Amino acid sequence: MNIQFDSISTNKFFEWMASKFLEVSMPSIQKSIETKFSDDELLTKKELCERILKCDVKTADEFFLYKKGFPYVDFGKNSRRYPKRLVEEWIRKNAKYN
């Protein structure tokens, strides 16, 4: 058995499949995101430097904030916030020992 669609029908079918996939998967994705960030404080750069990194902003920029994998959340057009719990986890994972 061979079913064929014209190009318009094929596009509509895939759009329908994508919408169904999102309909089914989005609640799970949303819950996962909410769980990961629930009760987690989002820190400004200044708060992060004062409370967690214990350094000035220039030092944080140079040695931490732009390293690959350092956790942040885009906050507006030109701003970031740093999830406290994820930053602490990143520090634990990236600590070096003698």
Side-chain angles (χ1 to χ4, degrees):
M1 183 164 140
N2 189 5
I3 300 174
Q4 293 184 346
F5 295 104
D6 60 35
S7 64
I8 294 173
S9 296
T10 302
N11 286 340
K12 287 185 184 243
F13 173 74
F14 283 116
E15 287 173 7
W16 176 82
M17 286 293 290
S19 71
K20 289 299 176 188
F21 174 79
L22 288 174
E23 184 181 308
V24 170
S25 62
M26 279 309 285
S28 176
I29 292 169
Q30 203 165 17
K31 184 176 181 179
S32 183
I33 290 170
E34 288 170 1
T35 300
K36 189 73 172 172
F37 289 106
S38 67
D39 298 328
D40 195 10
E41 193 175 359
L42 293 176
L43 304 173
T44 64
K45 186 186 287 192
K46 183 180 177 192
E47 291 169 331
L48 176 68
C49 292
E50 290 172 355
R51 294 172 49 191
I52 307 293
L53 300 176
K54 309 288 190 211
C55 65
D56 63 38
V57 171
K58 185 178 177 183
T59 301
D61 282 339
E62 187 176 344
F63 294 104
F64 300 105
L65 303 184
Y66 298 100
K67 280 201 167 204
K68 184 178 181 180
F70 194 86
Y72 70 91
V73 175
D74 284 327
F75 196 80
K77 192 172 184 177
N78 295 316
S79 186
R80 291 179 170 184
R81 293 292 187 268
Y82 303 90
K84 182 177 180 274
R85 187 174 40 192
L86 294 179
V87 169
E88 291 169 336
E89 183 180 318
W90 183 89
I91 290 169
R92 278 190 297 281
K93 288 181 179 177
N94 289 277
K96 295 182 180 175
Y97 303 95
N98 290 331

